[in-house]
Amino acid sequence: MKKIRYIIYAAGLLLVLTTAVSLKYGESAVSWAALGNIFNEPDTLPSLVILELRLPRTIAAILAGAALAAAGVILQKLLDNDLASPEILGISGGAGCAGLLLLFFAPGYAAMLNAAAFAGAVIAAALICLIAWKRALSPARLILSGVAISAIFSACGGTLLLFNSDSLSRVMEFSLGGFSGRTMEEIYSSLPFFITAFILTAMLPRKLDILSLGGETALALGVSPGRNRLLAVTAAALAAATAVSLSGLLGFVGLMAPHIAGRLLNSRRADILLLMSVLAGAQLTLTADILSRILFAPRELPCGLLLSAAGALFFLLLLARQPEEV
Amino acid sequence: MNITIDDLFVKLNSKIILNGVSGQFHSGKISILTGPNGCGKSTLLKTIAGLLPAGRRRIFLDGQDISAFTPALLAGKRAIMLQHPRLPALMTVREYLSLARYSAASGRKQDIPAIDRALADTGCTDLSVRQVHTLSGGELRRVHLAFALAQEPELLLLDEPEAGVDAAGRAALPELLKNLQQQRQLTVIAVVHDMDMALHCADELFGMQDGKIIWHTETKRPDLLEILQKFTGGNFDFFTGTDGSLRALPHINRHYSVSPNGIKNM
C-alpha cells in the first residue's frame, strides 16, 4: 500500500513538472523568469503566448487525457475486457459523424464543431445503451450493440466525407486529434460536463469492483447490476464525449492509460486504478502535445498521431513480454 | 430467521425450473437440500437469496414478503456462497472480502473486525495477503465462505460447500458449519449433493425432485433410516459407521448402459 502511495505521488509530481514544461516550450521557448512573471506582467509578449496559447492547450490536454483514461478504466472494468476503450461506446463514431454533418450542412457554423461532436458522442452512447438494455445491461449485449452502432456511425461519417471533400483538412485535423488552437472559452464551456463526469466517476470505484464479480454476486451484495452499470456507462460516455469535443478523436489514451496504471500498481482495485490511470492519461496526452509542438517546429504534428505511434509501440512491447501460453 | 415458501414457481428462459415449491426452513437450524442434478436446488437457493424474481407473496423472511426488500436491505440480512463465483482480477483476499461489506448492516466501522473474524472462522487468516487468483481450489472454497461470512448475515445460503474440497476439508465441514451456526446464531440452508455429508451437517433434510420439495425430515428422528430408504429409493446404500452414526454411499449400479438420452438402468 505504501509503495502504491509513492507511485501515485511520483506520477502527480511528474505531471506538475510536465505542465511547467508545456507552458515554457513550444514554437519559441520562454525563459523560466518570464514564466514566473506571467501574472505580474500579463501584457508582455511571452506572457501573452503563455496565457493565450499554451495555457488553454495545456489544460485541454490534461483534462481530455484524464477523462479518456477514466472512461477507459470504467469500461475495461465494467466489460471485464482489457481491450475495451471509449470507442466501444460509439464515442468516436458518433462524434465524427456529427462533426461531419455539421461541416456538410452548416459549414458556416464550423465553430460549433465541439458542441456537435459532444452531441454526436452522447447520442451514439445513448443509442447503444438503449439497444443493449434488457433487464441488466449485460456486458456481452453492450459490446455487441457497441460494435454495431459504432460501425453504422462510422459508415455514415465516411459517406458524408465522400460528398464533402471541401472540408477535408478540417475533418482530418479533427479525426487525428490535437489541441492546437484551443481557447479558454472552449475549456470553460466544457467544464460543467467534466465536473459532472468527475462526480459520477467518484461514485463508482467500489461498485465497479463489485460488478466485476458478476451480476449475481453484485446483486447479492446489494448492488443492482442494471442501475449501476447504467451509471458507469453514463460516467464513461460523458467523460469521453467531453474529452473528444475538446481534443478531436484521440485514440489509444483510453486503452493505454489503464494498462500502464495496472502494470505500475500491479493491482486492479478500481479506486487506485482510476486515480493512477487519470494521472497516466493526462501525462500521456500532455507529453504528446508538447512533442507535437517542438519535434518539427515550426510545423506542428497532430498530437493524436504521436499517441497512436506510442500506443502501437506500447502494445508491441506488451506482446513481447507476454508469457508464452498455448 | 424463519423462511416460509408458498407455492413458488420460477421460470428461466421460458423453462419451468421450480414447479410449486412449498416448505418451511426454521430459524437457527441447518437445513440441507438434496436431490438429483437439475431438480431445481440451486434455483431454489438463489430465489430465496433474492437473486431471481420470486413473484409476490411466495417467499417470506420472518413473515415479511421478500419482494418488498431492496437489494441493499437484503444484503444486510443474508449471504450466499455460489457454486462458481467469478473471481476478482488482481486482488488480495482481504481486498476481496472488503467488497462483501458494501451493504453490511453493521456499517463501515465494523469492516476490519468483521473481515478478521470471517478469516479466522474459516481458517483463512494466513491467506489474507495472498492474491485470490493464486489460491488452490480448496483454499478458494474457504475464502468464498469467508466472503459470505464477512457480510455478517442472519441467513447463510450455501451452494455445494463440499465441492472441490479435499478429504480433510470435507471431514471438517460438518463441525465447521455447526460451529458457525452456533457462534453466529445463523440460519443455514445448503445444497449438498453428497448424502453422507448432508446427514452429518443437517438438522433438517429436504428432498427435491422435478422442481418440488417432495420430502423432508429432521435428522434426529429415530425412524430416519426408514424415511430415507423410502424416499431416496435405491440411490444410496445406508449403513452404520464405526462411531454409530448413519452413513450413506451412492449405490453403485453394475448394470447400466449409456444411451444418447443419458445413463439408464438396465
Side-chain angles (χ1 to χ4, degrees):
Chain A
M1 254 350 258
K2 215 170 187 180
K3 194 180 141 211
I4 284 172
R5 195 169 295 165
Y6 287 136
I7 294 174
I8 289 175
Y9 286 156
L13 190 67
L14 184 63
L15 186 60
V16 171
L17 292 176
T18 315
T19 306
V21 169
S22 167
L23 295 176
K24 186 174 186 306
Y25 292 99
E27 198 180 318
S28 63
V30 299
S31 66
W32 289 113
L35 191 58
N37 245 347
I38 49 173
F39 293 110
N40 299 336
E41 299 167 13
D43 291 330
T44 60
L45 185 64
S47 298
L48 281 176
V49 166
I50 290 170
L51 288 175
E52 299 290 319
L53 296 176
R54 288 186 196 155
L55 188 63
R57 71 185 296 166
T58 301
I59 296 175
I62 290 174
L63 284 175
L68 286 170
V73 175
I74 293 171
L75 291 170
Q76 289 186 8
K77 286 285 281 190
L78 189 69
L79 304 178
D80 195 20
N81 189 329
D82 289 348
L83 292 180
S85 69
E87 277 91 65
I88 201 78
L89 285 181
I91 298 296
S92 41
C97 187
L100 282 159
L101 271 175
L102 181 82
L103 294 174
F104 188 54
F105 287 108
Y109 291 93
M112 303 267 290
L113 195 60
N114 296 359
F118 177 78
V122 169
I123 288 170
L127 208 57
I128 286 167
C129 286
L130 205 66
I131 292 172
W133 184 266
K134 191 181 181 186
R135 252 188 78 196
L137 204 66
S138 82
R141 291 182 68 90
L142 207 54
I143 291 176
L144 287 175
S145 80
V147 169
I149 297 297
S150 296
I152 291 172
F153 273 94
S154 299
C156 291
T159 314
L160 282 168
L161 195 55
L162 210 58
F163 290 106
N164 188 26
S165 40
D166 303 346
S167 53
L168 198 63
S169 69
R170 183 78 182 89
V171 170
M172 275 300 278
E173 195 193 323
F174 177 77
S175 57
L176 286 172
F179 300 94
S180 121
R182 289 294 86 84
T183 63
M184 282 316 273
E185 283 69 38
E186 286 172 307
I187 289 169
Y188 292 143
S189 58
S190 71
L191 223 45
F193 300 104
F194 276 126
I195 291 170
T196 313
F198 177 80
I199 293 170
L200 292 179
T201 305
M203 291 160 67
L204 285 175
R206 281 188 105 203
K207 293 179 192 225
L208 283 175
D209 280 334
I210 287 173
L211 284 171
S212 76
L213 302 176
E216 273 185 347
T217 303
L219 191 55
L221 296 179
V223 174
S224 302
R227 198 185 306 172
N228 288 291
R229 282 186 190 132
L230 188 62
L231 178 73
V233 169
T234 309
L238 192 60
T242 317
V244 163
S245 79
L246 268 186
S247 68
L249 308 181
L250 274 190
F252 271 111
V253 182
L255 186 59
M256 205 170 17
H259 276 267
I260 295 174
R263 298 242 144 199
L264 284 174
L265 301 175
N266 196 25
S267 171
R268 291 286 172 83
R269 251 181 54 191
D271 50 356
I272 51 177
L273 190 64
L274 260 170
L275 190 59
M276 188 66 215
S277 299
V278 162
L279 289 171
Q283 183 71 46
L284 275 174
T285 38
L286 188 58
T287 310
D289 186 52
I290 296 171
L291 290 177
S292 76
R293 274 179 263 161
I294 59 176
L295 271 187
F296 295 97
R299 247 193 104 78
E300 192 165 313
L301 279 178
C303 168
L305 220 58
L306 283 174
L307 276 172
S308 301
L313 212 65
F314 174 73
F315 281 100
L316 284 175
L317 221 66
L318 275 192
L319 195 65
R321 294 185 52 178
Q322 187 82 3
E324 269 181 55
E325 275 174 33
V326 178
Chain B
M1 183 186 285
N2 281 303
I3 294 98
T4 310
I5 298 171
D6 182 18
D7 204 20
L8 174 68
F9 286 80
V10 170
K11 251 188 195 177
L12 288 180
N13 301 319
S14 61
K15 193 175 164 231
I16 294 174
I17 310 289
L18 297 183
N19 193 7
V21 172
S22 294
Q24 282 258 355
F25 300 99
H26 293 110
S27 181
K29 299 279 183 211
I30 300 178
S31 303
I32 304 262
L33 293 165
T34 65
N37 288 333
C39 71
K41 303 182 298 292
S42 292
T43 304
L44 178 57
L45 204 68
K46 284 182 190 174
T47 316
I48 296 172
L51 304 185
L52 298 171
R56 280 199 189 162
R57 305 198 62 73
R58 291 296 178 227
I59 298 181
F60 298 89
L61 309 179
D62 279 337
Q64 279 182 293
D65 188 343
I66 195 176
S67 62
F69 285 98
T70 63
L73 208 54
L74 214 49
K77 285 184 174 293
R78 63 89 188 91
I80 180 167
M81 174 168 127
L82 296 167
Q83 214 172 331
H84 304 291
R86 202 192 298 171
L87 297 183
L90 276 185
M91 210 177 267
T92 65
V93 169
R94 181 173 284 279
E95 286 171 334
Y96 178 49
L97 259 58
S98 74
L99 300 180
R101 301 286 305 162
Y102 188 76
S103 303
S106 55
R108 297 299 295 271
K109 274 190 187 150
Q110 290 301 310
D111 280 5
I112 291 172
I115 291 169
D116 284 339
R117 189 167 167 226
L119 287 169
D121 283 1
T122 51
C124 291
T125 307
D126 292 343
L127 303 177
S128 69
V129 292
R130 291 267 301 275
Q131 292 281 337
V132 176
H133 67 271
T134 64
L135 300 176
S136 74
E139 289 169 332
L140 213 48
R141 223 49 201 149
R142 279 189 284 143
V143 166
H144 288 314
L145 181 58
F147 187 80
L149 292 174
Q151 244 175 295
E152 294 193 313
E154 295 169 45
L155 169 64
L156 179 64
L157 303 162
L158 305 169
D159 200 349
E160 298 194 25
E162 85 283 15
V165 177
D166 63 14
R170 278 166 178 251
L173 189 64
E175 210 50 37
L176 175 64
L177 283 186
K178 281 175 188 168
N179 286 339
L180 287 175
Q181 189 279 321
Q182 273 170 13
Q183 285 161 13
R184 293 171 174 256
Q185 299 293 307
L186 292 170
T187 305
V188 181
I189 306 176
V191 169
V192 173
H193 257 289
D194 181 336
M195 179 59 83
D196 196 47
M197 183 62 71
L199 280 173
H200 282 83
C201 294
D203 296 315
E204 294 185 49
L205 271 176
F206 293 77
M208 285 187 73
Q209 200 166 2
D210 301 329
K212 284 181 183 159
I213 292 179
I214 52 168
W215 58 271
H216 73 96
T217 176
E218 287 179 39
T219 49
K220 281 197 299 259
R221 285 174 69 130
D223 57 346
L224 179 64
L225 180 59
E226 287 75 37
I227 294 171
L228 289 173
Q229 273 170 338
K230 180 178 166 199
F231 286 110
T232 63
N235 289 332
F236 297 98
D237 293 327
F238 295 101
F239 57 98
T240 307
T242 47
D243 60 349
S245 64
L246 185 63
R247 309 297 304 259
L249 283 176
H251 178 72
I252 307 284
N253 192 337
R254 291 172 206 290
H255 308 283
Y256 71 90
S257 69
V258 178
S259 78
N261 302 321
I263 299 173
K264 284 253 168 69
N265 291 326
M266 291 289 276

